[in-house]
Amino acid sequence: MSGFWYSAAIATTTAALFSLTADIATERTHILSPAPAASSPAQKSHHSDPEAATNPENATPLTGQRRYQQAMTLANQAVVAYQSARQAETLAKQVALTRQERDLWQQTLELLTSIPTDAVEHAQAARKAVQYRQLLATAEGKLTTADRTFLTQIIQSARVNPQRVHVTLCQLGGPVTQSHRQSKRGHSHSQKGRLNRDRCRDHQGDMPMASPASLIKLPIAIALLDKVATENVDLSSRIYIDPGNFTENAAGANIEVGQEYPLSQVMTRMINESNNIATNQLIDYVGHADIAETLLNRGYTSTLVGHKLAGDRILPKNPGTQTNRATTNDITVMMAHTYSLENPGDEELLKALVSQNDQEFGYQALQDLDPAIKWLGEKTGQNNRVIGSTLAMEVGADRYALTVAIDHSADPHAMRAIIRQVAEYLLAAGSLTETSERSPALPSAALNSEGPEHKDSEEKVQAPAETTS
């Protein structure tokens, strides 16, 4: 994985660094030698600069000589970081070291440009600053390139055709969409596909998956909770499970037609059991038109719930006339909003995501990694056209929503590899925004969760209805 994102600027950087290394060796003798006698006003001034930075060790102003010496020390450290980045075994380590190199060049330049004009070191510092600005620009260019390509490189390292993969990653703690506009009904919603590029990255995230499979259950839950909040419905109220909504279910998914269940239980089973019967009943309860309106008002304009779910053979009644559709961009923003507790009922949905039964994708991928990486909840989906997962995770001091879908695949190993490498990249390279911004505090059920309780559930929805609608 290492190397190709460095190649564009490596020749220029190498030449500059050879010159720099030689200069540092020469300058080291000079800057560590005793200061010359102050025989002129110009020479005196650099020892008593009233605007000089303060030395934290003795609380006295830094002299021009001392600033130059510290600048050379930092420059030497920047060279080491550059050389270490070239030898790093993973992209994440390369990025982390290049960020370190960039920061060191910035600190070096701050010191050099703060040397007074009447100091004896000023002329040499000015020449050095020109060279170091070039090296800083090169490091920043590498980071920009890596930021654009790290998802593609991770996908390639998982030995999957990038054209079949959709990935969206958003850092929580701030807006994940950039702008809003007013709908005809007066509701404010985000513009189509306008991810906040400061907080999100994607690979084909705006292109519909071959099928959303059971990931479509997340927007159905969001529409249900919107209806409950708008109409002041009690989630403990019971609804009847119409026998007409029967279809085959995933292993471990249990709900009986002809019975009544609390709304909260039906929604939870739809999410954590990936229960198809519960899903179909909630589509009837909310209604296709109201689901569509809620998703539009929330800005999820690339998502459509147009068809009920079906198993291998049994099609529910009134299945719908359109194919379900979603992008990983939309699904990831839904997760980000849910885990940021932005809307009424988000805590209820979060509890269902935390109690997810299916451990095959994200949950397994994040196990046995660094303790700083924590799984916070997930919804999985798979049928004969796609495998996918949308999950929340904590990496170091930050939280993220991540959605991965692979079209025309049944390879859980590739799915886990992508999820795992994204998490490891974030831990090693740092947050997307390079600042730690925590999202709102999660309910204790989420923070204290050790993951799914059931280990025998496996969703295998074939959804033949989608292929014929």
Side-chain angles (χ1 to χ4, degrees), residues 67-68 71-72 107-116 121-122 124-130 132:
R67 292 185 194 195
Y68 191 85
M72 291 299 99
Q107 295 171 40
T108 300
L109 286 166
E110 288 174 3
L111 282 168
L112 291 177
T113 56
S114 71
I115 294 176
E121 295 82 7
H122 176 74
Q124 180 72 356
R127 289 193 294 271
K128 292 293 185 186
V130 172
Y132 297 171

Side-chain angles (χ1 to χ4, degrees), residues 28 30 96 146 179 296 309-310 354 396 410 426 442 454 469:
R28 186 175 292 139
H30 166 70
S179 55
L296 177 63
L309 298 188
V354 168
L426 293 170
L442 299 179
H454 305 287
S469 61

Side-chain angles (χ1 to χ4, degrees), residues 28-322:
R28 186 175 292 139
T29 302
H30 166 70
I31 63 182
L32 294 180
S33 63
S39 58
S40 68
Q43 288 176 311
K44 289 181 181 179
S45 65
H46 80 274
H47 292 294
S48 57
D49 176 17
E51 298 179 357
T54 300
N55 186 336
E57 294 180 0
N58 53 28
T60 59
L62 288 175
T63 65
Q65 181 189 39
R66 180 60 176 162
R67 292 185 194 195
Y68 191 85
Q69 177 183 351
Q70 289 189 355
M72 291 299 99
T73 299
L74 291 173
N76 195 37
Q77 293 173 1
V79 173
V80 173
Y82 163 79
Q83 293 170 339
S84 298
R86 291 193 61 186
Q87 299 171 0
E89 296 179 353
T90 66
L91 174 63
K93 291 180 180 178
Q94 288 177 352
V95 172
L97 287 163
T98 302
R99 283 185 176 177
Q100 181 182 349
E101 179 198 351
R102 177 204 58 191
D103 294 345
L104 287 165
W105 289 132
Q106 290 174 338
Q107 295 171 40
T108 300
L109 286 166
E110 288 174 3
L111 282 168
L112 291 177
T113 56
S114 71
I115 294 176
T117 57
D118 56 359
V120 295
E121 295 82 7
H122 176 74
Q124 180 72 356
R127 289 193 294 271
K128 292 293 185 186
V130 172
Q131 182 182 20
Y132 297 171
R133 286 191 186 98
Q134 177 186 1
L135 295 171
L136 171 61
T138 301
E140 289 176 335
K142 294 172 186 176
L143 292 174
T144 299
T145 299
D147 189 60
R148 291 196 306 260
T149 63
F150 78 92
L151 288 176
T152 301
Q153 294 190 56
I154 286 172
I155 292 166
Q156 291 172 338
S157 72
R159 301 181 183 277
V160 184
N161 182 349
Q163 295 181 351
R164 294 196 289 113
V165 182
H166 310 260
V167 181
T168 306
L169 171 70
C170 289
Q171 183 173 337
L172 308 187
V176 294
T177 49
Q178 287 182 313
S179 55
H180 296 79
R181 60 184 172 90
Q182 294 295 116
S183 71
K184 294 180 179 179
R185 296 178 181 269
H187 299 285
S188 176
H189 59 83
S190 305
Q191 292 187 11
K192 179 178 180 179
R194 295 294 293 261
L195 287 182
N196 185 335
R197 295 300 169 181
D198 290 336
R199 309 201 67 84
C200 301
R201 306 290 185 272
D202 75 287
H203 171 89
Q204 299 196 132
D206 60 345
M207 298 179 62
M209 298 170 271
S211 165
S214 285
L215 297 182
I216 203 67
K217 294 168 182 176
L218 180 62
I220 294 170
I222 288 170
L224 168 67
L225 292 170
D226 183 76
K227 175 183 176 71
V228 165
T230 301
E231 300 179 5
N232 198 26
V233 176
D234 192 332
L235 275 172
S236 64
S237 60
R238 304 175 73 84
I239 62 169
Y240 177 72
I241 308 299
D242 192 324
N245 282 318
F246 179 83
T247 189
E248 296 93 339
N249 248 328
N254 299 304
I255 201 166
E256 298 292 333
V257 299
Q259 302 294 321
E260 290 187 351
Y261 295 86
L263 264 174
S264 60
Q265 187 178 137
V266 178
M267 185 200 72
T268 298
R269 291 188 175 188
M270 174 180 69
I271 296 297
N272 66 8
E273 296 179 357
S274 205
N275 195 302
N276 291 336
I277 298 171
T279 302
N280 294 338
Q281 189 61 53
L282 290 179
I283 291 175
D284 281 347
Y285 180 79
V286 182
H288 284 285
D290 286 350
I291 293 173
E293 182 179 17
T294 296
L295 297 179
L296 177 63
N297 291 338
R298 297 283 181 91
Y300 309 132
T301 52
S302 297
T303 300
L304 173 67
V305 181
H307 210 287
K308 291 180 178 178
L309 298 188
D312 294 326
R313 298 176 302 278
I314 301 175
L315 188 69
K317 71 175 183 178
N318 302 320
T321 60
Q322 301 183 74

Side-chain angles (χ1 to χ4, degrees), residues 341-354:
L341 305 176
E342 293 188 9
N343 298 292
D346 281 345
E347 287 193 18
E348 196 71 25
L349 177 53
L350 189 150
K351 292 176 185 176
L353 292 164
V354 168

